[in-house]
Amino acid sequence: MYSLRQIYNAIYRRVMALKWRHKLKCFGHNSLIYRPLKISGNISIGSNVLIQYKSWIEANPLTGESNAELIIGNGCAIGHFNEIYATKSIVIEDNVLTADRVYISDNLHGYENLDIPIIHQSIKQNGTVRIGEGSWLGVGVCVIGANIGKHCVIGANAVVTHDIPDYSVAVGIPAKVIKRYDFNEKKWIKSY
């Protein structure tokens, strides 16, 4: 027999799925967005995706691009208070895990003109972002216009501004690779 909580959760999931299927470009089976802060733009979400409380996901071409896209693949788990903002393209491949307070962006605020407050300067397009399948981004990670390979671990509070290759562990500000998986030795090797 089902408890009232299980029944409520099942009804909530179905109602929210109907809402997001009409609002987003694609919303996969058995996905859930739990009480978001903001969601708008050209967004595709795969199946079995969980986006936790108060996350902000948006795809809006503020930099003059003709279109902006945000794609979240199947089986991803996006933590609480994440902000993912695409002005051109952010792709999060299948089975990516992000901890809480992760920031992912393909753009920056302009700051070059010292006579104009930064808030009034234009948004600048940075590189597109791709996060490879099976990767994990720790608490407080920032990814700004860079790619992360597949099966990577990005340590807590790291700031990723340059591409990280597949099968790497990266930490720090700016993020640097400290380990790589060696397929010949079948283990993680320190990288200097």
Side-chain angles (χ1 to χ4, degrees), residues 80-99:
H80 300 87
F81 306 103
N82 276 219
E83 183 177 344
I84 305 171
Y85 202 110
T87 54
K88 185 174 183 180
S89 178
I90 295 176
V91 176
I92 299 173
E93 294 181 355
D94 295 347
N95 300 307
V96 169
L97 170 64
T98 71

Side-chain angles (χ1 to χ4, degrees), residues 6 39 44 51 59 68-69 120 146 165:
Q6 289 171 315
I39 295 180
S44 297
I51 299 176
E69 68 173 357
H120 298 299

Side-chain angles (χ1 to χ4, degrees), residues 13-188:
R13 275 184 175 271
R14 287 195 177 128
V15 169
M16 289 296 103
L18 289 172
K19 173 185 176 180
W20 296 119
R21 279 194 184 106
H22 292 340
K23 206 169 184 188
L24 302 177
K25 181 177 180 183
C26 178
F27 188 75
H29 174 73
N30 202 36
S31 290
L32 176 64
I33 301 172
Y34 183 71
R35 296 180 62 192
L37 181 62
K38 185 176 182 181
I39 295 180
S40 68
N42 182 20
I43 299 170
S44 297
I45 295 175
S47 297
N48 300 308
V49 172
L50 173 62
I51 299 176
Q52 292 281 9
Y53 180 75
K54 294 296 183 197
S55 287
W56 174 355
I57 61 174
E58 188 163 351
N60 187 355
L62 297 175
T63 58
E65 297 291 330
S66 59
N67 192 22
E69 68 173 357
L70 171 56
I71 300 170
I72 299 174
N74 299 322
C76 292
I78 306 298
H80 300 87
F81 306 103
N82 276 219
E83 183 177 344
I84 305 171
Y85 202 110
T87 54
K88 185 174 183 180
S89 178
I90 295 176
V91 176
I92 299 173
E93 294 181 355
D94 295 347
N95 300 307
V96 169
L97 170 64
T98 71
D100 295 343
R101 299 183 314 277
V102 169
Y103 176 77
I104 302 170
S105 174
D106 63 355
N107 60 83
L108 293 168
H109 284 278
Y111 58 87
E112 288 76 17
N113 190 336
L114 299 180
D115 296 327
I116 302 174
I118 294 170
I119 195 170
H120 298 299
Q121 293 189 42
S122 62
I123 305 292
K124 292 174 39 175
Q125 186 63 51
N126 207 340
T128 60
V129 174
R130 178 175 292 274
I131 299 175
E133 66 174 276
S135 289
W136 169 36
L137 281 62
V139 171
V141 166
C142 292
V143 179
I144 303 169
N147 298 305
I148 296 172
K150 61 183 176 179
H151 296 277
C152 289
V153 176
I154 309 300
N157 298 312
V159 178
V160 181
T161 56
H162 299 287
D163 293 352
I164 304 294
D166 295 346
Y167 306 103
S168 297
V169 176
V171 298
I173 302 171
K176 292 185 175 149
V177 174
I178 61 165
K179 286 186 182 179
R180 289 191 180 161
Y181 191 79
D182 185 316
F183 284 93
N184 294 327
E185 295 190 32
K186 296 188 180 353
K187 65 180 184 177
W188 291 92

Side-chain angles (χ1 to χ4, degrees), residues 1-13:
M1 173 148 304
Y2 296 107
S3 69
L4 283 175
R5 182 96 175 139
Q6 289 171 315
I7 294 169
Y8 170 80
N9 285 340
I11 292 169
Y12 179 81
R13 275 184 175 271

